Amino acid sequence: MASYDAIVLGFGRSAKENAQVLDELTGQFGEALPQLLFFAPHPDALEQVLALNPALASAPRAENFAQLALHISATLPGEGREARETETEQTGRSDLAGAKVLIVDDDIRNIYSLTSVLETYGIQVLHAERGRDGIALLEQTPDVDAALIDIMMPEMDGYETMRRIRGTAAIAHIPLISVTAKAMKGDRQKCLDAGASDYIAKPVDLDLLLALLRVWIGRSRSRAESPEKILVAAN
């Protein structure tokens, strides 16, 4: 096997696909895994990587690739690493605190379980059991930071719900994460074509979901802050 000093990875928008690439690399190189350098459109991509590949936190040179990807201070293994993990968890909670998320799902059990988790992160959760009700809620509360849209719903499925949201100017900007029990090839693209910002399959991986929410809530907040910054600059 050829030896490498580093591997540069270009990450797309799907955390699941990013994780699959890393699984292949770790399987191929094992303990000889070279330094990993990430090129991604958003710094939260690294959080998605670590959420899906916890073993990477203890991989050789893990501090180096974290420093390069996020421009944070390198720390030593052992106690330093534990402190970093605690700081990361606290930062993750503060990043999500105060956010407003809508869950659209016809199964109240799913709504209850997701709400229980999200509220521990300080997220305000709204919910609807029908696509039409979800759209109405968004129109009433356009400051929602992100919406989780179940695909398999009666009357109006998730695809149609997302298409209508994207077709309504006042709420078209809201990040939509489609949640589906189907995992067939092409399902992700079908969700994206219907207007989804991202995709997650059932049973929901909570670490992945939280990572996705950090990405999209961060973008939603940046978008909301931009006009304010423009007004301040103009004054």
Side-chain angles (χ1 to χ4, degrees):
M1 180 185 298
S3 60
Y4 299 93
D5 295 315
I7 298 176
V8 179
L9 301 175
F11 278 178
R13 61 193 291 174
S14 168
K16 187 174 182 179
E17 291 179 358
N18 295 341
Q20 289 174 344
V21 171
L22 281 168
D23 284 342
E24 293 176 4
L25 286 174
T26 53
Q28 180 178 354
F29 288 95
E31 294 297 323
L33 184 67
Q35 184 179 32
L36 301 177
L37 307 179
F38 300 101
F39 179 79
H42 196 282
D44 283 346
L46 183 60
E47 291 186 15
Q48 295 180 352
V49 170
L50 295 178
L52 290 170
N53 296 268
L56 285 177
S58 58
R61 306 182 185 181
E63 290 77 19
N64 288 346
F65 75 65
Q67 183 182 24
L68 288 167
L70 290 180
H71 306 291
I72 62 176
S73 299
T75 57
L76 296 175
E79 294 183 359
R81 181 182 152 207
E82 291 176 3
R84 186 179 73 245
E85 289 174 347
T86 301
E87 181 180 355
T88 298
E89 182 178 356
Q90 293 174 345
T91 300
R93 289 181 182 273
S94 63
D95 286 346
L96 295 173
K100 189 179 293 185
V101 172
L102 170 67
I103 300 173
V104 184
D105 195 317
D106 64 311
D107 191 333
I108 193 64
R109 294 170 299 180
N110 293 335
I111 292 175
Y112 177 79
S113 60
L114 287 175
T115 298
S116 298
V117 172
L118 297 181
E119 286 183 342
T120 65
Y121 285 79
I123 296 174
Q124 180 183 348
V125 180
L126 308 176
H127 64 84
E129 295 179 44
R130 294 289 186 273
R132 295 181 191 279
D133 296 336
I135 294 171
L137 263 177
L138 288 179
E139 291 177 325
Q140 295 167 14
T141 53
D143 60 335
V144 165
D145 293 295
L148 305 177
I149 311 293
D150 184 42
I151 293 300
M152 304 303 291
M153 293 188 293
E155 299 178 15
M156 181 190 295
D157 64 17
Y159 299 120
E160 182 61 22
T161 300
M162 291 188 293
R163 281 192 287 266
R164 295 199 183 191
I165 292 171
R166 293 299 182 222
T168 305
I171 58 176
H173 63 281
I174 296 173
L176 306 176
I177 300 176
S178 60
V179 184
T180 176
K182 299 173 65 178
M184 303 296 290
K185 184 176 181 180
D187 284 341
R188 175 180 176 273
Q189 190 58 49
K190 189 175 180 181
C191 291
L192 297 177
D193 290 343
S197 307
D198 224 314
Y199 165 102
I200 189 168
K202 293 180 180 179
V204 172
D205 182 320
L206 292 177
D207 287 334
L208 173 56
L209 176 60
L210 292 169
L212 293 178
L213 286 175
R214 288 189 184 100
V215 171
W216 293 107
I217 288 174
R219 293 183 185 184
S220 181
R221 287 175 170 174
S222 296
R223 179 185 179 279
E225 291 172 359
S226 296
E228 296 178 6
K229 291 179 180 178
I230 292 173
L231 289 175
V232 170
N235 292 333

